[in-house]
């Protein structure tokens, strides 16, 4: 009996945890932050680069806080800190630790963009850039996304020769298959026409023989019976 009671209590705890998880799941998945599909970007020394970040929330937001953090080989610092009052307000910057940073984000037309432009790049700018977002409307729920920036002397040109060769081979194979199918259809058509002509010839020949031999299947006219 005791074992049955323990199992019942365990099932009750599991059920309660499951129900609680169902209630918490929408909240945990509501606030999302994204820096795009690329996990790494490359930029040339002395130029500028756009570090993208967008956010979304199923429950909306107010006084949403955001900040960008740089994590280099031996440096960790907050680059920019700001808030977004509501869906109709553009991001407002409260703190910016580098004059090279230009916030280019906007929340108008539901863009929810808090990206920034980093100008006059230096090799020391190489590192991880993490975009953090906190939404008071969701009990200060936080989410973040990270992108890696690599500052280089020059961008290497991608050698597309292998790609061109592969495409040419694939295109050639496809073209050959199409040619084979066309030839096959042509041969089938010629054979069909040849067989039809052969059948017509046999039928015509059979009709002539029947006519000459006076067979029942012939086209010979029947002579009327001779009158006595």
């Amino acid at each position: 009996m005791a074992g049955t009671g323990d199992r019942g209590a365990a099932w009750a705890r599991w059920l309660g945890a499951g129900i609680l998880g169902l209630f918490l799941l929408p909240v945990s998945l509501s606030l999302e932050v994204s820096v795009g599909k690329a996990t790494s970007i490359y930029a040339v020394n002395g130029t500028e680069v756009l570090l993208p970040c967008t956010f979304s929330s199923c429950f909306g937001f107010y006084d949403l806080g955001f900040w960008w953090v740089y994590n280099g080989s031996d440096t960790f610092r907050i680059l920019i800190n700001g808030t977004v009052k509501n869906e109709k307000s553009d991001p407002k910057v409260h703190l910016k630790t580098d004059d090279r940073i230009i916030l280019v984000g906007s929340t108008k037309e539901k863009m929810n963009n808090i990206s920034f432009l980093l100008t006059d790049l230096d090799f020391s700018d190489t590192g991880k850039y993490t975009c953090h977002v906190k939404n008071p409307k969701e009990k200060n729920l936080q989410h973040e996304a990270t992108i890696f920036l690599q500052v280089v002397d020059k961008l290497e040109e991608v050698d597309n020769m292998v790609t061109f060769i592969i495409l040419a081979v694939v295109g050639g194979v496809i073209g050959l298959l199409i040619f084979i199918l066309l030839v096959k259809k042509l041969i089938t058509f010629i054979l069909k026409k040849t067989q039809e002509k052969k059948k017509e010839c046999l039928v015509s020949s059979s009709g002539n023989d029947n006519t000459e031999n006076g067979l029942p299947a012939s086209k010979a006219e029947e002579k009327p019976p001779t009158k006595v």
Side-chain angles (χ1 to χ4, degrees):
M1 296 295 292
T4 303
D6 292 340
R7 286 195 296 270
W11 276 108
R13 287 194 296 270
W14 279 106
L15 181 61
I19 294 174
L20 180 61
L22 290 175
F23 281 106
L24 293 178
L25 183 61
V27 176
S28 62
L29 297 179
S30 59
L31 181 62
E32 293 290 338
V33 179
S34 173
V35 291
K37 295 181 179 180
T39 57
S40 300
I41 54 177
Y42 295 84
V44 178
N45 181 40
T47 63
E48 60 186 27
V49 66
L50 177 68
L51 294 169
C53 182
T54 58
F55 66 90
S56 62
S57 174
C58 298
F59 299 99
F61 63 90
Y62 66 84
D63 293 336
L64 180 137
F66 69 91
W67 61 99
W68 277 90
V69 174
Y70 168 74
N71 189 358
S73 58
D74 56 356
T75 307
F76 178 88
R77 67 179 184 273
I78 296 178
L79 298 175
I80 187 172
N81 191 328
T83 58
V84 185
K85 186 175 182 180
N86 51 47
E87 288 88 345
K88 298 181 180 180
S89 302
D90 282 334
K92 183 178 180 180
V93 176
H94 301 297
L95 172 67
K96 188 171 65 171
T97 59
D98 196 325
D99 292 335
R100 298 178 301 148
I101 294 176
I102 302 173
L103 184 68
V104 296
S106 174
T107 54
K108 293 181 179 178
E109 298 180 358
K110 298 182 179 180
M111 294 177 62
N112 294 345
N113 190 341
I114 47 177
S115 307
F116 77 90
L117 192 69
L118 183 60
T119 63
D120 194 18
L121 286 173
D122 187 79
F123 292 111
S124 61
D125 292 321
T126 296
K128 294 180 180 180
Y129 291 78
T130 304
C131 178
H132 296 261
V133 176
K134 181 174 69 173
N135 189 9
K137 192 172 183 178
E138 298 179 68
K139 297 182 179 180
N140 288 326
L141 182 66
Q142 295 188 34
H143 199 240
E144 68 279 336
T146 300
I147 191 169
F148 182 80
L149 171 64
Q150 178 70 52
V151 180
V152 296
D153 185 40
K154 65 178 181 177
L155 294 177
E156 295 182 359
E157 295 183 1
V158 179
D159 187 3
N160 294 322
M161 183 59 66
V162 176
T163 303
F164 290 151
I165 293 175
I166 294 175
L167 292 176
V169 172
V170 173
V173 172
I174 295 175
L176 181 60
L177 291 175
I178 293 175
F179 177 74
I180 292 174
L181 290 175
L182 291 176
V183 172
K184 182 179 178 182
K185 287 186 177 181
L186 179 60
I187 294 174
T188 303
F189 177 77
I190 294 174
L191 290 176
K192 184 178 179 181
K193 287 297 182 181
T194 303
Q195 290 177 356
E196 289 178 354
K197 288 183 178 181
K198 187 176 180 181
K199 287 181 180 179
E200 291 177 359
C201 181
L202 290 174
V203 171
S204 176
S205 176
S206 175
N208 292 335
D209 291 343
N210 289 341
T211 301
E212 293 176 356
N213 295 333
L215 295 176
S218 68
K219 296 180 180 179
E221 295 182 357
E222 294 183 1
K223 297 181 178 181
T226 305
K227 295 182 180 180
V228 180

